[in-house]
Amino acid sequence: MTISSTRPGRARLVGLTASAATVVLLASACGSTGSGTAAAPKDFSYLSVVENTAVKTSLTTLSQGACTTQNTALPLKVDTVPQTGLDQKLQLLAGQGALPVQFAAGNAPALTNQLFKSGKVADLEDELTKLGVYDQLQPAAVSTIEALYEGKLAVLPYEYNIEGIFFNKKLFAEHGLATPRTWDELVTTAGKLQDAGVQPFAASGQQGWPLTRLVSGYLYRSLGPNAMEHIANGTAKLTDPEYVAAAAKVADLGKKGYFGQGVGSIDYDTAMNQFLSGKAGMFYMGSWALSNIADAKQNTVGAENVGFMPFPAVAGGKGSIDQYPSNVGLPIALNSKSFDKKTGEWVKCIAQNYGSTALKDQGTISGFKVNTPVPDKNAVTKQIRETIDGSKQNVLWFEALFSTKATTVSQSNAASLVTGSTSPEKFMQLVQEAQSGQ
């Protein structure tokens, strides 16, 4: 998914496509002067993006604490570039044979995949296995990375998120509602909230992706975990009846008014506020929302009153409710040419300590195991951490395998799908045509 699909202020949720121009530029860069063996690095250089400060902060903490020895041998050095300039910067550095020791992976996995194929990005399964720390990665994070990077562990999961439905436990209790486990139960629950004068769902129609996530959620439950892969490889089309049916189910929620008034003009922050102020009973979102939930100034309903449930099952469906949509934020790749002993010691220390450091200092969940006990800020954080720990197979999201054009078409038409101005058939046709390049 492209950056237009991220949550505000953070570089999050990479996609799988790059423009033709990007691929051409990269192919040219990969054939230039960067093919030789690089000299041993003088520092643990890290190219990040201006918008994402979380990884930089955690690495700095490690350099002054658990990884002091490694930092003395190879000092951490952080450089930043605006998110919009990241891909161009990486292409330039690759062509010059000057990629830093580690760097924020490109906005589209296609860029990192190309660098990997050209031998410029380290095979981290191989490197972490040699270092004896491959087991420090969460299996679910590995599964997500491999799904995005053609089966390769090409990046490190400095961030890791799963998605599902947050709900107001207090409102549910007041109205005698049980946690829905099936789609039919979810629809019934939404109807009861509506009848009680409570908006069932908060969602940002302005961003679009919080609505299209519901479409892919239904598809993964009804058709199985390969539902969107079949669209990407051409063995199925979004205009096929079973795919249109998923869009129709979500459109029906909008037809019943379950997203409230003016959903098309609701932005991310407003939708978040609707849920955290108790104006909406449910909110489909990723686990990055835990920082908002833990903030008492934002969350007036109280963190203790927020629950989390998986996207519900679909009767007769091939998917499972323990298959959570997931992403690895803006992950980090390592330069294969500068992966020497000192770099390896840094990476080993990161693998063993990053998970605890990020959780303790910032309340963020990574794809690394938490080896030093960190008290959970609230019950829902504990629940999500346990869910991630136990998760074995994850899925992606609606636009993850789409072209840039199809992603834009999908998200810009999502609100009209749930308001009824675009039919489910037309919505899927528009996105399919964009994906097919028509």
Side-chain angles (χ1 to χ4, degrees):
M1 174 169 140
T2 58
I3 292 305
S4 64
S5 305
T6 66
R7 72 184 181 93
R10 294 292 294 276
R12 190 173 292 279
L13 306 184
V14 292
L16 269 179
T17 56
S19 67
T22 297
V23 174
V24 170
L25 283 170
L26 181 57
S28 175
C30 289
S32 64
T33 60
S35 59
T37 301
K42 296 181 180 180
D43 46 49
F44 192 54
S45 53
Y46 166 47
L47 177 63
S48 182
V49 296
V50 175
E51 295 86 345
N52 188 322
T53 61
V55 176
K56 172 185 175 181
T57 299
S58 293
L59 287 176
T60 300
T61 298
L62 288 175
S63 72
Q64 299 169 354
C67 302
T68 300
T69 300
Q70 291 78 6
N71 188 64
T72 299
L74 197 65
L76 175 67
K77 179 185 176 183
V78 180
D79 290 315
T80 60
V81 63
Q83 180 77 37
T84 54
L86 176 62
D87 287 359
Q88 184 177 5
K89 182 71 171 180
L90 292 177
Q91 293 161 23
L92 176 63
L93 293 174
Q96 297 173 337
L99 285 168
V101 173
Q102 61 172 351
F103 50 91
N107 292 321
L111 181 58
T112 301
N113 287 337
Q114 196 73 23
L115 289 171
F116 187 97
K117 291 175 182 177
S118 70
K120 296 179 183 293
V121 168
D123 183 331
L124 293 172
E125 180 176 359
D126 183 46
E127 297 293 353
L128 267 63
T129 299
K130 291 177 182 176
L131 293 168
V133 291
Y134 180 78
D135 63 351
Q136 295 302 300
L137 296 176
Q138 298 280 11
V142 172
S143 173
T144 301
I145 291 170
E146 290 177 344
L148 288 167
Y149 294 93
E150 300 181 348
K152 302 296 185 181
L153 189 68
V155 296
L156 291 178
Y158 282 39
E159 298 176 86
Y160 185 70
N161 306 293
I162 60 171
E163 299 174 11
I165 300 173
F166 291 93
F167 64 99
N168 188 316
K169 294 194 293 185
K170 184 177 180 181
L171 282 175
F172 271 47
E174 288 176 354
H175 299 290
L177 303 174
T179 305
R181 298 284 293 177
T182 68
W183 177 263
D184 290 341
E185 290 175 359
L186 181 71
V187 174
T188 298
T189 297
K192 290 181 177 179
L193 287 170
Q194 182 91 318
D195 292 343
V198 177
Q199 182 176 315
F201 295 98
S204 169
Q206 191 176 102
Q207 266 71 44
W209 60 263
L211 296 171
T212 62
R213 291 293 215 279
L214 300 177
V215 177
S216 56
Y218 193 93
L219 286 169
Y220 283 129
R221 296 296 185 257
S222 60
L223 303 181
N226 296 319
M228 300 311 297
E229 184 179 334
H230 291 160
I231 299 300
N233 63 26
T235 57
K237 293 184 177 180
L238 292 171
T239 50
D240 292 344
E242 60 270 31
Y243 285 84
V244 173
K249 290 291 186 179
V250 176
D252 191 51
L253 296 179
K255 182 179 180 180
K256 293 177 178 177
Y258 291 167
F259 296 110
Q261 297 296 317
V263 63
S265 63
I266 300 297
D267 63 15
Y268 178 94
D269 290 332
T270 300
M272 179 73 73
N273 179 260
Q274 285 179 335
F275 178 70
L276 295 180
S277 63
K279 296 177 181 177
M282 294 179 282
F283 187 41
Y284 183 99
M285 194 46 58
S287 55
W288 58 83
L290 289 173
S291 60
N292 304 88
I293 291 169
D295 185 347
K297 292 182 179 179
Q298 294 185 60
N299 185 7
T300 58
V301 305
E304 70 277 7
N305 290 316
V306 176
F308 180 80
M309 59 179 157
F311 195 93
V314 170
K318 299 178 181 179
S320 170
I321 63 171
D322 59 5
Q323 295 164 342
Y324 288 84
S326 63
N327 68 78
V328 287
L330 189 68
I332 306 301
L334 282 107
N335 184 349
S336 61
K337 306 299 183 183
S338 58
F339 204 113
D340 63 0
K341 183 177 180 181
K342 291 181 179 179
T343 297
E345 289 301 313
W346 244 116
V347 171
K348 182 176 181 179
C349 187
I350 288 171
Q352 294 171 327
N353 296 282
Y354 191 92
S356 300
T357 298
L359 187 62
K360 179 182 178 181
D361 291 355
Q362 302 180 76
T364 56
I365 297 174
S366 74
F368 296 103
K369 292 182 178 178
V370 177
N371 293 317
T372 302
V374 178
D376 293 305
K377 292 183 179 294
N378 47 60
V380 69
T381 297
K382 182 176 185 294
Q383 177 189 352
I384 288 177
R385 282 184 59 194
E386 291 175 346
T387 299
I388 290 174
D389 289 345
S391 182
K392 300 301 181 185
Q393 182 183 16
N394 291 49
V395 293
L396 299 176
W397 56 94
F398 193 61
E399 295 93 359
L401 307 179
F402 286 176
S403 67
T404 302
K405 181 180 179 181
T407 295
T408 300
V409 169
S410 172
Q411 294 169 6
S412 61
N413 286 279
S416 63
L417 171 68
V418 300
T419 59
S421 58
T422 299
S423 70
E425 293 81 5
K426 184 62 175 179
F427 173 79
M428 290 304 224
Q429 179 186 347
L430 289 171
V431 181
Q432 181 63 55
E433 288 176 351
Q435 177 67 8
S436 301
Q438 299 176 353

